[in-house]
Amino acid sequence: MIKHIVLMKLKDQSDRPKALNALLAMKGQIEGLLDLEVGADFLGSERSYDIALACTLTDRAALDFYQAHPLHQPVKQLMREIRSSSVSADYEI
């Protein structure tokens, strides 16, 4: 299995609900995506990111499928528009 984690800083905090809803809308919609969690940071420290996405996928092929999936493309585009930065990690579990 694969864990895919993305942390995002938003340009404007008013976009937080829109981002959370867009990310959560993918849950259960993409083959090979076993679980999807989304959370909003509540601490607000200097090192905090605003949104965390954690996905569990069946394997690397499922990660590739997810990355190219038509439901994921508009979400990626939205996040590019509203985030100021992001970091990610992908690893086998």
Side-chain angles (χ1 to χ4, degrees):
M1 284 196 288
I2 300 295
K3 189 63 88 169
H4 170 65
I5 298 174
V6 182
L7 302 175
M8 294 163 268
K9 288 190 184 206
L10 300 176
K11 295 175 190 173
D12 184 336
Q13 292 302 311
S14 68
D15 287 325
R16 188 182 290 217
K18 178 177 19 177
L20 294 171
N21 289 333
L23 293 165
L24 283 171
M26 294 187 294
K27 189 170 187 168
Q29 302 298 312
I30 299 175
E31 186 177 337
L33 179 59
L34 302 175
D35 191 32
L36 181 147
E37 291 181 45
V38 177
D41 178 67
F42 61 83
L43 192 57
S45 76
E46 181 180 305
R47 358 178 325 194
S48 293
Y49 279 75
D50 300 310
I51 294 177
L53 168 69
C55 298
T56 305
L57 300 109
T58 55
D59 54 26
R60 289 183 184 198
L63 177 60
D64 292 340
F65 183 75
Y66 162 77
Q67 291 292 352
H69 197 280
L71 288 175
H72 187 219
Q73 297 311 304
V75 176
K76 287 194 325 188
Q77 183 58 39
L78 170 66
M79 299 314 295
R80 282 187 195 112
E81 293 169 5
I82 66 174
R83 74 177 185 228
S84 60
S85 65
S86 66
V87 294
S88 67
D90 298 284
Y91 57 93
E92 293 183 278
I93 52 174

Coordinates of all heavy atoms in Angstrom, one line a residue:
M1 N 0.8 -1.2 0.0 CA 0.0 0.0 0.0 C 0.9 1.3 0.0 O 2.0 1.2 0.4 CB -0.9 0.0 1.2 CG -2.1 -0.9 1.0 SD -3.4 -0.6 2.2 CE -2.7 -1.2 3.7
I2 N 0.3 2.3 -0.4 CA 1.0 3.6 -0.6 C 0.3 4.7 0.3 O -1.0 4.7 0.3 CB 1.0 4.1 -2.0 CG1 1.7 3.1 -2.9 CG2 1.6 5.5 -2.1 CD1 3.2 2.9 -2.6
K3 N 1.0 5.5 1.0 CA 0.5 6.7 1.7 C 1.0 7.9 0.9 O 2.2 8.0 0.6 CB 1.0 6.7 3.1 CG 0.4 7.8 4.0 CD -1.1 7.5 4.2 CE -1.4 6.7 5.3 NZ -2.8 6.7 5.7
H4 N 0.0 8.7 0.5 CA 0.3 10.0 -0.2 C -0.2 11.1 0.7 O -1.3 11.2 1.1 CB -0.5 9.9 -1.5 CG -0.6 11.2 -2.3 ND1 0.5 11.8 -2.8 CD2 -1.6 12.1 -2.6 CE1 0.2 12.9 -3.5 NE2 -1.1 13.1 -3.3
I5 N 0.8 12.0 1.1 CA 0.5 13.1 2.0 C 0.9 14.4 1.3 O 1.9 14.5 0.8 CB 1.2 12.9 3.3 CG1 0.8 11.6 4.0 CG2 1.0 14.1 4.2 CD1 1.6 11.3 5.2
V6 N 0.0 15.4 1.4 CA 0.2 16.7 0.9 C -0.2 17.7 1.9 O -1.3 17.6 2.5 CB -0.6 17.0 -0.4 CG1 -0.3 18.3 -1.0 CG2 -0.4 15.9 -1.4
L7 N 0.7 18.7 2.2 CA 0.4 19.8 3.1 C 0.4 21.1 2.2 O 1.3 21.3 1.4 CB 1.5 19.9 4.2 CG 1.7 18.7 5.0 CD1 2.9 18.9 6.0 CD2 0.4 18.4 5.8
M8 N -0.6 21.9 2.5 CA -0.8 23.1 1.7 C -1.0 24.4 2.5 O -1.7 24.3 3.5 CB -2.0 23.0 0.8 CG -1.8 21.9 -0.3 SD -3.4 21.3 -1.0 CE -3.8 20.0 0.1
K9 N -0.3 25.4 2.1 CA -0.6 26.8 2.7 C -1.4 27.5 1.7 O -1.2 27.5 0.5 CB 0.7 27.5 2.9 CG 1.5 27.0 4.1 CD 2.7 27.9 4.4 CE 3.5 27.2 5.5 NZ 4.2 28.1 6.4
L10 N -2.5 28.2 2.2 CA -3.4 28.9 1.4 C -3.0 30.4 1.3 O -2.5 30.9 2.3 CB -4.8 28.8 1.9 CG -5.4 27.4 2.0 CD1 -6.8 27.5 2.6 CD2 -5.4 26.7 0.6
K11 N -3.2 31.0 0.1 CA -3.0 32.4 0.0 C -4.0 33.2 0.8 O -3.6 34.3 1.4 CB -3.2 32.8 -1.5 CG -2.2 32.2 -2.4 CD -2.5 32.6 -3.9 CE -1.7 31.9 -4.9 NZ -2.1 32.2 -6.2
D12 N -5.2 32.7 0.9 CA -6.3 33.4 1.6 C -7.1 32.4 2.4 O -7.6 31.4 1.8 CB -7.2 34.1 0.5 CG -8.3 35.0 1.1 OD1 -8.7 34.7 2.3 OD2 -8.8 35.9 0.4
Q13 N -7.2 32.6 3.7 CA -7.9 31.7 4.5 C -9.4 31.5 4.2 O -10.0 30.5 4.5 CB -7.7 32.0 6.0 CG -6.3 31.9 6.5 CD -5.8 30.5 6.3 OE1 -6.5 29.5 6.7 NE2 -4.6 30.3 5.8
S14 N -10.0 32.5 3.5 CA -11.4 32.4 3.1 C -11.6 31.2 2.1 O -12.7 30.8 1.9 CB -11.9 33.7 2.6 OG -11.3 34.0 1.3
D15 N -10.5 30.7 1.5 CA -10.6 29.6 0.5 C -10.6 28.2 1.2 O -10.8 27.2 0.6 CB -9.5 29.7 -0.5 CG -9.7 30.8 -1.5 OD1 -10.8 31.1 -1.9 OD2 -8.7 31.4 -1.9
R16 N -10.4 28.2 2.5 CA -10.3 27.0 3.2 C -11.5 26.1 3.0 O -11.3 24.9 2.7 CB -10.1 27.2 4.7 CG -9.7 26.0 5.5 CD -9.5 26.3 7.0 NE -8.3 27.0 7.2 CZ -7.5 26.8 8.2 NH1 -7.8 26.0 9.1 NH2 -6.4 27.5 8.3
P17 N -12.8 26.5 3.2 CA -13.9 25.6 3.0 C -14.0 25.0 1.6 O -14.3 23.9 1.4 CB -15.1 26.5 3.4 CG -14.6 27.6 4.2 CD -13.2 27.8 3.7
K18 N -13.7 25.9 0.6 CA -13.7 25.4 -0.8 C -12.7 24.3 -1.0 O -13.0 23.3 -1.7 CB -13.5 26.6 -1.7 CG -13.4 26.3 -3.1 CD -13.3 27.5 -4.1 CE -12.7 28.8 -3.5 NZ -12.5 29.8 -4.5
A19 N -11.5 24.5 -0.5 CA -10.4 23.5 -0.6 C -10.8 22.2 0.1 O -10.7 21.1 -0.5 CB -9.1 24.1 -0.1
L20 N -11.3 22.3 1.3 CA -11.6 21.1 2.0 C -12.7 20.3 1.3 O -12.7 19.1 1.1 CB -12.1 21.4 3.4 CG -11.0 22.0 4.3 CD1 -11.6 22.5 5.6 CD2 -9.9 21.0 4.6
N21 N -13.8 21.0 0.8 CA -14.9 20.4 0.1 C -14.4 19.7 -1.2 O -14.8 18.6 -1.5 CB -16.0 21.3 -0.1 CG -16.7 21.7 1.1 OD1 -16.8 21.0 2.1 ND2 -17.3 22.9 1.1
A22 N -13.6 20.4 -1.9 CA -13.1 19.8 -3.2 C -12.3 18.6 -3.0 O -12.4 17.6 -3.7 CB -12.2 20.9 -3.9
L23 N -11.4 18.6 -2.0 CA -10.6 17.4 -1.7 C -11.5 16.3 -1.2 O -11.3 15.1 -1.6 CB -9.5 17.8 -0.6 CG -8.4 18.7 -1.1 CD1 -7.7 19.3 0.1 CD2 -7.5 18.1 -2.1
L24 N -12.4 16.5 -0.3 CA -13.2 15.5 0.3 C -14.2 14.9 -0.8 O -14.6 13.7 -0.7 CB -14.1 16.0 1.4 CG -13.3 16.2 2.7 CD1 -14.2 16.9 3.8 CD2 -12.9 14.8 3.3
A25 N -14.5 15.6 -1.8 CA -15.4 15.1 -2.9 C -14.8 14.0 -3.6 O -15.5 13.2 -4.3 CB -15.8 16.3 -3.8
M26 N -13.5 13.8 -3.6 CA -12.9 12.7 -4.3 C -13.0 11.3 -3.5 O -12.8 10.3 -4.1 CB -11.4 13.0 -4.5 CG -11.1 14.1 -5.5 SD -9.3 14.3 -5.9 CE -8.7 14.7 -4.3
K27 N -13.3 11.4 -2.2 CA -13.4 10.2 -1.4 C -14.4 9.2 -2.0 O -15.5 9.6 -2.2 CB -13.7 10.6 0.0 CG -13.6 9.4 1.0 CD -13.7 9.9 2.4 CE -13.4 8.7 3.4 NZ -13.2 9.1 4.7
G28 N -13.9 8.0 -2.2 CA -14.8 6.9 -2.6 C -15.1 7.0 -4.1 O -15.9 6.2 -4.6
Q29 N -14.5 7.9 -4.8 CA -14.8 8.1 -6.3 C -13.7 7.6 -7.2 O -14.0 7.6 -8.4 CB -15.0 9.6 -6.5 CG -16.1 10.2 -5.7 CD -17.4 9.6 -5.9 OE1 -17.8 9.4 -7.1 NE2 -18.1 9.2 -4.9
I30 N -12.5 7.2 -6.7 CA -11.4 6.8 -7.6 C -11.0 5.4 -7.2 O -10.6 5.2 -6.1 CB -10.3 7.9 -7.5 CG1 -10.8 9.3 -7.9 CG2 -9.1 7.4 -8.3 CD1 -9.8 10.4 -7.7
E31 N -10.9 4.6 -8.2 CA -10.5 3.2 -8.0 C -9.1 3.1 -7.5 O -8.2 3.9 -8.0 CB -10.6 2.4 -9.3 CG -10.3 1.0 -9.2 CD -10.5 0.2 -10.5 OE1 -11.2 0.7 -11.4 OE2 -9.9 -0.8 -10.6
G32 N -8.9 2.3 -6.5 CA -7.5 2.2 -5.9 C -7.3 3.1 -4.7 O -6.3 3.0 -4.0
L33 N -8.1 4.2 -4.6 CA -8.0 5.1 -3.5 C -8.8 4.6 -2.3 O -10.0 4.6 -2.3 CB -8.5 6.5 -3.9 CG -8.5 7.6 -2.9 CD1 -7.1 7.9 -2.4 CD2 -9.1 8.9 -3.4
L34 N -8.1 3.9 -1.4 CA -8.8 3.2 -0.3 C -9.3 4.1 0.8 O -10.4 3.9 1.4 CB -7.8 2.2 0.4 CG -7.2 1.1 -0.6 CD1 -6.2 0.3 0.2 CD2 -8.3 0.3 -1.1
D35 N -8.6 5.2 1.1 CA -9.0 6.1 2.1 C -8.5 7.5 1.8 O -7.4 7.6 1.2 CB -8.5 5.7 3.5 CG -9.2 6.5 4.6 OD1 -10.3 6.9 4.5 OD2 -8.5 6.7 5.6
L36 N -9.2 8.5 2.2 CA -8.8 9.9 2.0 C -9.2 10.7 3.2 O -10.4 10.6 3.6 CB -9.5 10.5 0.7 CG -9.1 11.9 0.3 CD1 -9.2 12.0 -1.2 CD2 -10.1 12.9 0.9
E37 N -8.2 11.3 3.8 CA -8.5 12.2 5.0 C -8.1 13.6 4.7 O -7.0 13.8 4.0 CB -7.7 11.7 6.2 CG -8.1 10.4 6.8 CD -7.3 10.1 8.0 OE1 -7.1 11.0 8.9 OE2 -6.8 8.9 8.1
V38 N -8.8 14.5 5.1 CA -8.5 15.9 4.9 C -8.7 16.6 6.3 O -9.7 16.4 7.0 CB -9.4 16.6 3.9 CG1 -9.1 18.1 3.7 CG2 -9.2 15.9 2.5
G39 N -7.7 17.5 6.7 CA -7.9 18.2 7.9 C -7.4 19.6 7.8 O -6.5 19.9 6.9
A40 N -7.9 20.5 8.6 CA -7.5 21.9 8.6 C -6.8 22.1 9.9 O -7.2 21.8 11.0 CB -8.8 22.8 8.5
D41 N -5.6 22.8 9.8 CA -4.8 23.1 10.9 C -5.5 24.0 11.9 O -6.1 25.0 11.4 CB -3.5 23.7 10.4 CG -2.6 24.1 11.6 OD1 -2.1 23.2 12.3 OD2 -2.4 25.3 11.8
F42 N -5.4 23.7 13.2 CA -6.0 24.6 14.2 C -4.9 25.3 15.0 O -5.3 26.3 15.7 CB -6.9 23.8 15.1 CG -6.2 22.7 15.9 CD1 -5.5 23.0 17.0 CD2 -6.2 21.4 15.4 CE1 -4.9 22.0 17.8 CE2 -5.6 20.4 16.1 CZ -4.9 20.7 17.3
L43 N -3.7 24.9 14.9 CA -2.7 25.5 15.7 C -2.2 26.9 15.2 O -2.0 27.8 16.0 CB -1.5 24.6 15.8 CG -0.4 24.9 16.9 CD1 -1.0 25.0 18.3 CD2 0.7 23.8 16.9
G44 N -2.0 27.0 13.9 CA -1.6 28.2 13.3 C -0.2 28.7 13.7 O 0.1 29.9 13.7
S45 N 0.7 27.8 14.0 CA 2.1 28.2 14.3 C 2.8 28.6 13.1 O 2.4 28.5 11.9 CB 2.8 27.0 15.0 OG 3.2 26.0 14.0
E46 N 4.0 29.1 13.3 CA 4.9 29.6 12.2 C 5.1 28.5 11.2 O 5.2 28.7 10.0 CB 6.2 30.2 12.7 CG 7.1 30.7 11.7 CD 8.4 31.2 12.3 OE1 8.3 32.1 13.2 OE2 9.4 30.8 11.9
R47 N 5.3 27.2 11.6 CA 5.6 26.1 10.7 C 4.4 25.4 10.2 O 4.5 24.5 9.4 CB 6.5 25.1 11.4 CG 7.0 25.3 12.7 CD 7.8 24.2 13.3 NE 7.4 22.9 12.8 CZ 7.9 21.8 13.4 NH1 8.7 21.8 14.4 NH2 7.5 20.6 13.0
S48 N 3.2 25.8 10.6 CA 2.0 25.1 10.2 C 1.6 25.3 8.8 O 1.9 26.4 8.2 CB 0.8 25.6 11.1 OG 0.9 25.2 12.4
Y49 N 1.1 24.3 8.2 CA 0.4 24.4 6.9 C -1.1 24.4 7.2 O -1.5 23.9 8.2 CB 0.8 23.2 6.0 CG 2.1 23.3 5.3 CD1 3.3 23.2 6.1 CD2 2.2 23.7 4.0 CE1 4.5 23.4 5.5 CE2 3.4 23.9 3.4 CZ 4.6 23.7 4.1 OH 5.8 23.9 3.5
D50 N -1.9 24.9 6.3 CA -3.3 25.2 6.5 C -4.1 23.9 6.3 O -5.1 23.7 7.0 CB -3.8 26.3 5.6 CG -3.1 27.6 5.8 OD1 -3.0 28.0 7.0 OD2 -2.6 28.2 4.8
I51 N -3.8 23.1 5.4 CA -4.6 21.9 5.0 C -3.7 20.7 4.9 O -2.6 20.8 4.3 CB -5.4 22.1 3.7 CG1 -6.4 23.2 4.0 CG2 -6.1 20.8 3.3 CD1 -7.2 23.6 2.7
A52 N -4.1 19.6 5.4 CA -3.4 18.3 5.2 C -4.3 17.3 4.5 O -5.5 17.2 4.8 CB -3.0 17.7 6.6
L53 N -3.7 16.7 3.5 CA -4.4 15.6 2.8 C -3.6 14.3 3.0 O -2.4 14.3 2.7 CB -4.5 15.9 1.3 CG -4.9 14.8 0.3 CD1 -6.4 14.5 0.5 CD2 -4.6 15.2 -1.1
A54 N -4.3 13.2 3.4 CA -3.6 12.0 3.5 C -4.4 10.9 2.8 O -5.6 10.7 3.2 CB -3.4 11.6 5.0
C55 N -3.8 10.3 1.8 CA -4.5 9.3 1.1 C -3.8 7.9 1.2 O -2.6 7.9 1.3 CB -4.5 9.6 -0.4 SG -5.3 11.1 -0.9
T56 N -4.6 6.9 1.3 CA -4.1 5.5 1.2 C -4.5 4.9 -0.1 O -5.7 4.9 -0.4 CB -4.6 4.7 2.4 OG1 -4.3 5.4 3.6 CG2 -4.0 3.3 2.5
L57 N -3.6 4.4 -0.8 CA -3.8 3.8 -2.1 C -3.3 2.3 -2.1 O -2.4 2.0 -1.4 CB -3.2 4.6 -3.2 CG -3.7 6.0 -3.3 CD1 -2.6 7.0 -2.9 CD2 -4.2 6.4 -4.7
T58 N -3.9 1.5 -3.0 CA -3.5 0.1 -3.0 C -2.0 -0.1 -3.4 O -1.4 -1.0 -2.8 CB -4.4 -0.7 -4.0 OG1 -4.3 -0.1 -5.3 CG2 -5.8 -0.7 -3.5
D59 N -1.5 0.6 -4.4 CA -0.1 0.4 -4.8 C 0.3 1.6 -5.7 O -0.4 2.6 -5.8 CB 0.0 -0.9 -5.6 CG -1.0 -1.0 -6.8 OD1 -1.5 0.0 -7.3 OD2 -1.4 -2.2 -7.1
R60 N 1.5 1.5 -6.2 CA 2.1 2.6 -7.0 C 1.2 2.9 -8.3 O 1.1 4.0 -8.7 CB 3.5 2.4 -7.3 CG 4.4 2.5 -6.1 CD 5.9 2.3 -6.5 NE 6.7 2.4 -5.3 CZ 8.0 2.6 -5.3 NH1 8.6 2.8 -6.5 NH2 8.7 2.6 -4.2
A61 N 0.7 1.8 -8.8 CA -0.1 2.0 -10.0 C -1.4 2.7 -9.7 O -1.8 3.6 -10.5 CB -0.4 0.6 -10.6
A62 N -1.9 2.5 -8.5 CA -3.1 3.2 -8.1 C -2.8 4.7 -7.9 O -3.6 5.6 -8.1 CB -3.7 2.6 -6.8
L63 N -1.6 5.0 -7.4 CA -1.2 6.4 -7.2 C -1.1 7.1 -8.5 O -1.5 8.2 -8.7 CB 0.2 6.5 -6.4 CG 0.8 7.9 -6.2 CD1 -0.2 8.8 -5.5 CD2 2.1 7.8 -5.6
D64 N -0.5 6.4 -9.5 CA -0.4 7.0 -10.9 C -1.8 7.2 -11.4 O -2.0 8.2 -12.1 CB 0.4 6.1 -11.8 CG 1.9 6.0 -11.4 OD1 2.4 6.9 -10.7 OD2 2.5 5.0 -11.8
F65 N -2.7 6.2 -11.2 CA -4.0 6.4 -11.7 C -4.8 7.5 -11.1 O -5.4 8.3 -11.8 CB -4.8 5.0 -11.4 CG -6.2 5.0 -12.0 CD1 -6.4 4.8 -13.3 CD2 -7.3 5.1 -11.1 CE1 -7.7 4.8 -13.8 CE2 -8.6 5.1 -11.6 CZ -8.8 4.9 -12.9
Y66 N -4.6 7.7 -9.8 CA -5.2 8.8 -9.0 C -4.6 10.1 -9.5 O -5.4 11.1 -9.8 CB -4.8 8.6 -7.5 CG -5.0 9.8 -6.7 CD1 -6.2 10.3 -6.3 CD2 -3.9 10.5 -6.2 CE1 -6.4 11.4 -5.4 CE2 -4.0 11.7 -5.4 CZ -5.2 12.1 -5.0 OH -5.4 13.2 -4.2
Q67 N -3.3 10.2 -9.7 CA -2.7 11.5 -10.2 C -3.3 11.9 -11.5 O -3.5 13.1 -11.8 CB -1.2 11.4 -10.3 CG -0.5 11.2 -9.0 CD -0.6 12.5 -8.1 OE1 -1.0 13.5 -8.5 NE2 -0.1 12.3 -6.9
A68 N -3.6 11.0 -12.4 CA -4.1 11.3 -13.8 C -5.6 11.3 -13.9 O -6.1 11.7 -14.9 CB -3.5 10.4 -14.8
H69 N -6.3 10.9 -12.8 CA -7.8 10.7 -12.9 C -8.5 12.0 -13.2 O -8.2 13.1 -12.7 CB -8.3 10.2 -11.6 CG -9.6 9.5 -11.7 ND1 -10.8 10.3 -11.7 CD2 -10.0 8.3 -11.8 CE1 -11.8 9.5 -11.8 NE2 -11.4 8.2 -11.9
P70 N -9.5 12.0 -14.1 CA -10.3 13.2 -14.4 C -11.0 13.9 -13.3 O -11.1 15.1 -13.3 CB -11.4 12.6 -15.4 CG -10.8 11.4 -15.9 CD -10.0 10.8 -14.8
L71 N -11.3 13.2 -12.2 CA -11.9 13.8 -11.0 C -10.8 14.6 -10.2 O -11.1 15.5 -9.5 CB -12.6 12.8 -10.1 CG -13.9 12.2 -10.6 CD1 -14.4 11.1 -9.6 CD2 -14.9 13.3 -10.8
H72 N -9.6 14.1 -10.3 CA -8.5 14.8 -9.6 C -8.0 16.0 -10.3 O -7.5 17.0 -9.6 CB -7.4 13.7 -9.4 CG -6.3 14.2 -8.5 ND1 -5.0 13.9 -8.7 CD2 -6.3 14.9 -7.3 CE1 -4.2 14.5 -7.8 NE2 -5.0 15.1 -6.9
Q73 N -8.1 16.1 -11.6 CA -7.5 17.2 -12.3 C -8.1 18.6 -11.9 O -7.3 19.5 -11.7 CB -7.7 17.0 -13.8 CG -6.9 15.8 -14.4 CD -5.5 15.7 -13.9 OE1 -4.7 16.6 -14.1 NE2 -5.1 14.6 -13.2
P74 N -9.4 18.8 -11.8 CA -9.9 20.1 -11.4 C -9.6 20.4 -10.0 O -9.4 21.6 -9.6 CB -11.4 20.0 -11.6 CG -11.7 18.6 -11.8 CD -10.5 17.9 -12.2
V75 N -9.4 19.4 -9.1 CA -9.0 19.6 -7.7 C -7.6 20.1 -7.7 O -7.2 21.1 -7.0 CB -9.2 18.4 -6.9 CG1 -8.7 18.6 -5.5 CG2 -10.7 17.9 -6.9
K76 N -6.7 19.5 -8.5 CA -5.3 19.9 -8.5 C -5.2 21.4 -9.1 O -4.5 22.2 -8.5 CB -4.5 19.0 -9.4 CG -4.2 17.7 -8.8 CD -3.1 16.9 -9.5 CE -2.9 16.9 -10.9 NZ -2.0 15.9 -11.5
Q77 N -6.0 21.7 -10.1 CA -6.0 23.0 -10.6 C -6.5 24.1 -9.6 O -5.9 25.1 -9.4 CB -6.9 23.1 -11.9 CG -6.9 24.5 -12.6 CD -5.5 24.9 -13.0 OE1 -4.7 24.1 -13.4 NE2 -5.2 26.2 -12.8
L78 N -7.6 23.7 -8.9 CA -8.0 24.6 -7.9 C -7.0 24.9 -6.8 O -6.7 26.0 -6.4 CB -9.3 24.1 -7.2 CG -9.8 24.8 -5.9 CD1 -10.2 26.2 -6.3 CD2 -10.8 24.0 -5.2
M79 N -6.3 23.8 -6.4 CA -5.3 24.0 -5.3 C -4.1 24.8 -5.8 O -3.6 25.6 -5.1 CB -4.9 22.6 -4.8 CG -6.0 21.7 -4.2 SD -7.0 22.6 -3.0 CE -5.9 23.0 -1.7
R80 N -3.7 24.6 -7.1 CA -2.6 25.4 -7.6 C -3.0 26.9 -7.6 O -2.1 27.8 -7.3 CB -2.4 25.1 -9.1 CG -1.6 23.8 -9.2 CD -1.2 23.6 -10.7 NE -0.7 22.2 -10.9 CZ -1.4 21.3 -11.6 NH1 -2.5 21.6 -12.2 NH2 -0.9 20.1 -11.7
E81 N -4.3 27.2 -7.8 CA -4.7 28.6 -7.8 C -4.8 29.3 -6.4 O -4.6 30.5 -6.3 CB -6.1 28.7 -8.5 CG -6.1 28.4 -10.0 CD -7.5 28.2 -10.6 OE1 -8.5 28.4 -9.9 OE2 -7.5 27.8 -11.8
I82 N -5.2 28.5 -5.4 CA -5.4 29.1 -4.1 C -4.3 28.8 -3.1 O -4.4 29.4 -2.0 CB -6.8 28.6 -3.5 CG1 -6.8 27.1 -3.2 CG2 -7.9 29.0 -4.5 CD1 -8.1 26.6 -2.5
R83 N -3.4 28.0 -3.4 CA -2.3 27.8 -2.4 C -1.1 28.7 -2.7 O -0.8 29.1 -3.8 CB -1.9 26.3 -2.4 CG -1.1 25.9 -3.6 CD -0.6 24.5 -3.6 NE 0.2 24.3 -4.7 CZ 0.1 23.3 -5.5 NH1 -0.8 22.4 -5.4 NH2 1.0 23.2 -6.6
S84 N -0.4 29.0 -1.6 CA 0.9 29.7 -1.8 C 2.1 28.7 -1.9 O 3.1 29.0 -2.5 CB 1.1 30.7 -0.7 OG 1.1 30.1 0.6
S85 N 1.9 27.6 -1.2 CA 3.0 26.5 -1.3 C 2.4 25.2 -0.9 O 1.3 25.1 -0.3 CB 4.1 26.9 -0.4 OG 3.7 26.9 1.0
S86 N 3.1 24.2 -1.2 CA 2.8 22.8 -0.8 C 4.0 21.9 -0.7 O 5.0 22.2 -1.3 CB 1.7 22.2 -1.7 OG 2.3 22.0 -3.0
V87 N 3.9 20.9 0.1 CA 4.9 19.9 0.2 C 4.2 18.5 0.2 O 3.0 18.4 0.6 CB 5.8 20.0 1.4 CG1 6.7 21.3 1.4 CG2 5.0 19.9 2.7
S88 N 4.9 17.5 -0.3 CA 4.3 16.2 -0.3 C 5.3 15.1 0.0 O 6.5 15.3 -0.1 CB 3.6 15.9 -1.7 OG 4.6 15.8 -2.7
A89 N 4.7 13.9 0.4 CA 5.6 12.7 0.6 C 4.7 11.5 0.2 O 3.5 11.5 0.4 CB 6.0 12.6 2.1
D90 N 5.4 10.6 -0.5 CA 4.7 9.4 -0.9 C 5.6 8.2 -0.4 O 6.8 8.2 -0.7 CB 4.6 9.3 -2.4 CG 3.7 10.4 -2.9 OD1 2.5 10.3 -2.8 OD2 4.3 11.4 -3.4
Y91 N 5.0 7.2 0.3 CA 5.8 6.1 0.8 C 5.0 4.9 0.9 O 3.8 4.9 1.0 CB 6.5 6.5 2.2 CG 5.5 6.9 3.2 CD1 4.9 6.0 4.1 CD2 5.1 8.2 3.4 CE1 4.0 6.3 5.1 CE2 4.2 8.6 4.4 CZ 3.7 7.7 5.2 OH 2.8 8.0 6.2
E92 N 5.7 3.8 0.9 CA 5.0 2.5 1.1 C 4.8 2.1 2.5 O 5.6 2.4 3.4 CB 5.9 1.4 0.4 CG 6.0 1.6 -1.1 CD 6.8 0.5 -1.8 OE1 8.0 0.5 -1.7 OE2 6.1 -0.4 -2.3
I93 N 3.6 1.6 2.8 CA 3.3 1.1 4.1 C 3.0 -0.4 4.1 O 2.7 -1.0 3.1 CB 2.1 1.9 4.7 CG1 0.9 1.9 3.8 CG2 2.5 3.3 5.0 CD1 -0.4 2.5 4.4

